Amino acid sequence: MKDRSPKKKIRSSLSIGYSISEFFENHKTNIREGLIALLICAVGDLIAGIILGKMTFFLETFPGLLVMIPGAIGMRGNIFGSFASRLSTNLHIGVISPKFELSEELNYNIFSSFVLTLVLSLFLGIIANLMCLLLHYPAMSLIDFILISVMAGIISNLIMLPITMIISFKSFQHGWDPDNITSPIIAAFGDLFTLPAIILSLFILQVLDINWIVKDAALLIIILLVAISFIYCYKLSDETKTILRQSTPVLLLCSFLGCSAGAILNSAVETLLTNPTLLTLLPLFSGESGSLISILGARLSSGLHSGLIEPSTKPEGNAVYNFGVCIVLSIIIFPFIGILAEGSSFILKTAGVGFDKIMEISTISGLILVTVMAFLVYYISITSYRNNLDPDNIVIPISTSITDSISSLILISVSLIILGVLI
């Protein structure tokens, strides 16, 4: 368990005021690293959208699957974003070696992330089924929801765990700040591998569907596996107990928000967003917004642990400069994804709204969202830290889930204002 004793604030050039030119000089590395990671994330979101567009057959064959997909994608980013944030913090303070040496601390983090995936996948299947029932959507059986969710979770987990460690360790070894690199790149990989993992789990489900006894036996095995692994991990050490106790309720809330965001988004797309360019922009906008907020959350968490940031009510010093880095990245990345969305419409020969309009929509929406979320993430960070809760376990899951929930609402509202009668 991380030391919660009061820390003396480390004074550096970050703790005193300086001009705009000095700000860019001091933070050019953070801006460059964050921008590279966000560009990679944008490519991942675009590919994920293409994969989703090819899943029409599966969405028709397995009713209700679409409700679960946003929650599944968000869960991967939340679990492994938090895992990466804990690795980043431990690398910064020297608890974990960046040489891929297995240690007790690293093993605890690996096992905890795997158990969280099992537990949250089980509950995600249940939540998705209940939401379909509440909204009167056509839906497959509860057993199918659970089997698909857990199998997809296990498959993606086997891929995401080593990828997360490689990215965290390699970035640290090369002198890059993992806080700037890991969260957006891991989110991109999560987007890429979640959908193929779900497709593979659907094929496995069809094999199990040959006999109801086989399906029931598989469900029983999964429930026992989840229960036994959770209890064992909870009792394994103080570190694993802390991770599970603090992360599980937060991730449960995030799973609910993820499914809710998917339902709200589907409704909004059908009634408001009839333009293909805006539909293409939605996953890009949501993904980049979540990645930006993840970078900020990871940097605030590391700053609190290392003493560079004090949990004061008013943001100051290093916290304010991290806000500045986030704003600079927003000004660069949001016009770019607008161009990317309009450009894809041009290549696919579908109706667009024009590069000027889409850039305006994306940029204004992004700046509004990031401004609101920056302060929200800061206060979530300092509140968790003041209450002896590890921000690494709290900040990224909650902030990215809230971002997913409100990003579509902000984008739709700005689109209506700018395009007016065109929608």
Side-chain angles (χ1 to χ4, degrees):
M1 183 181 296
K2 294 180 177 65
D3 181 18
R4 286 288 180 269
S5 59
K7 298 180 177 67
K8 182 179 179 180
K9 188 176 182 181
I10 300 172
R11 292 289 174 182
S12 68
S13 61
L14 294 174
S15 301
I16 58 176
Y18 45 75
S19 66
I20 293 178
S21 61
E22 290 174 323
F23 168 83
F24 280 103
E25 180 64 26
N26 285 322
H27 293 280
K28 62 183 180 182
T29 299
N30 292 330
I31 294 172
R32 182 177 65 250
E33 292 175 356
L35 182 60
I36 292 172
L38 289 169
L39 292 175
I40 294 173
C41 183
V43 175
D45 290 328
L46 190 61
I47 296 175
I50 294 173
I51 295 174
L52 183 60
K54 300 297 183 180
M55 290 180 61
T56 306
F57 169 77
F58 297 105
L59 296 176
E60 293 175 349
T61 307
F62 299 91
L65 180 64
L66 186 59
V67 176
M68 188 172 66
I69 287 177
I73 293 176
M75 184 179 69
R76 306 292 180 263
N78 290 334
I79 291 176
F80 292 102
S82 295
F83 176 45
S85 184
R86 290 194 298 269
L87 290 182
S88 176
T89 297
N90 289 327
L91 286 166
H92 278 302
I93 63 181
V95 174
I96 290 178
S97 168
K99 297 180 179 179
F100 290 92
E101 297 174 350
L102 289 179
S103 63
E104 194 173 70
E105 185 82 14
L106 181 58
N107 291 338
Y108 288 158
N109 275 278
I110 292 172
F111 189 48
S112 298
S113 298
F114 190 82
V115 171
L116 283 171
T117 300
L118 290 177
V119 174
L120 270 299
S121 295
L122 173 63
F123 279 97
L124 180 66
I126 296 173
I127 292 171
N129 181 258
L130 289 176
M131 188 158 293
C132 287
L133 294 177
L134 290 173
L135 297 175
H136 304 289
Y137 290 164
M140 51 189 161
S141 68
L142 176 61
I143 293 179
D144 288 346
F145 269 111
I146 293 175
L147 290 177
I148 293 170
S149 182
V150 175
M151 288 188 296
I154 293 173
I155 294 168
S156 60
N157 197 86
L158 295 174
I159 301 172
M160 291 300 297
L161 269 173
I163 287 177
T164 303
M165 289 187 289
I166 290 171
I167 293 172
S168 298
F169 290 150
K170 286 297 183 181
S171 63
F172 193 83
Q173 288 174 357
H174 286 82
W176 305 330
D177 189 342
D179 288 335
N180 299 329
I181 301 294
T182 54
S183 293
I185 293 182
I186 287 166
F189 277 110
D191 293 349
L192 282 175
F193 291 118
T194 296
L195 294 177
I198 289 176
I199 293 174
L200 182 56
S201 69
L202 294 176
F203 285 113
I204 297 174
L205 180 66
Q206 289 180 319
V207 174
L208 296 176
D209 215 14
I210 58 174
N211 191 303
W212 66 269
I213 297 178
V214 175
K215 282 181 63 175
D216 287 351
L219 178 64
L220 179 61
I221 292 172
I222 284 176
I223 292 175
L224 289 175
L225 176 63
V226 171
I228 293 172
S229 62
F230 183 86
I231 294 171
Y232 177 78
C233 186
Y234 193 83
K235 295 181 178 180
L236 182 60
S237 71
D238 288 339
E239 177 72 14
T240 56
K241 182 178 181 179
T242 299
I243 293 173
L244 292 184
R245 188 179 67 247
Q246 295 181 6
S247 297
T248 302
V250 172
L251 292 171
L252 283 174
L253 174 62
C254 293
S255 296
F256 176 77
L257 289 174
C259 290
S260 300
I264 293 172
L265 180 60
N266 288 338
S267 175
V269 168
E270 292 176 358
T271 57
L272 295 175
L273 301 181
T274 58
N275 190 284
T277 302
L278 293 177
L279 291 176
T280 303
L281 180 61
L282 275 167
L284 283 166
F285 184 78
S286 178
E288 293 299 281
S289 300
S291 295
L292 265 171
I293 298 305
S294 294
I295 291 175
L296 177 61
R299 292 185 60 79
L300 291 177
S301 178
S302 292
L304 287 167
H305 281 299
S306 63
L308 282 170
I309 296 175
E310 289 184 353
S312 56
T313 303
K314 180 181 178 181
E316 57 184 15
N318 197 25
V320 175
Y321 299 139
N322 278 310
F323 289 175
V325 171
C326 193
I327 294 296
V328 171
L329 289 172
S330 300
I331 294 172
I332 298 172
I333 202 66
F334 284 114
F336 171 75
I337 63 173
I339 294 173
L340 197 61
E342 185 72 17
S344 65
S345 295
F346 178 79
I347 293 172
L348 296 174
K349 301 185 185 303
T350 57
V353 299
F355 284 99
D356 56 337
K357 293 293 185 182
I358 201 68
M359 288 174 63
E360 187 179 0
I361 290 170
S362 181
T363 304
I364 293 175
S365 301
L367 289 175
I368 293 173
L369 178 64
V370 168
T371 301
V372 173
M373 288 304 303
F375 287 97
L376 184 59
V377 169
Y378 175 78
Y379 287 110
I380 293 173
S381 299
I382 66 168
T383 301
S384 61
Y385 190 81
R386 285 174 175 176
N387 289 277
N388 293 326
L389 300 173
D390 190 344
D392 289 328
N393 299 328
I394 305 294
V395 178
I396 289 180
I398 290 182
S399 60
T400 53
S401 295
I402 295 175
T403 300
D404 290 342
S405 299
I406 68 174
S407 62
S408 298
L409 177 61
I410 292 176
L411 185 63
I412 292 168
S413 300
V414 173
S415 299
L416 286 170
I417 294 172
I418 293 177
L419 297 180
V421 297
L422 294 180
I423 296 184

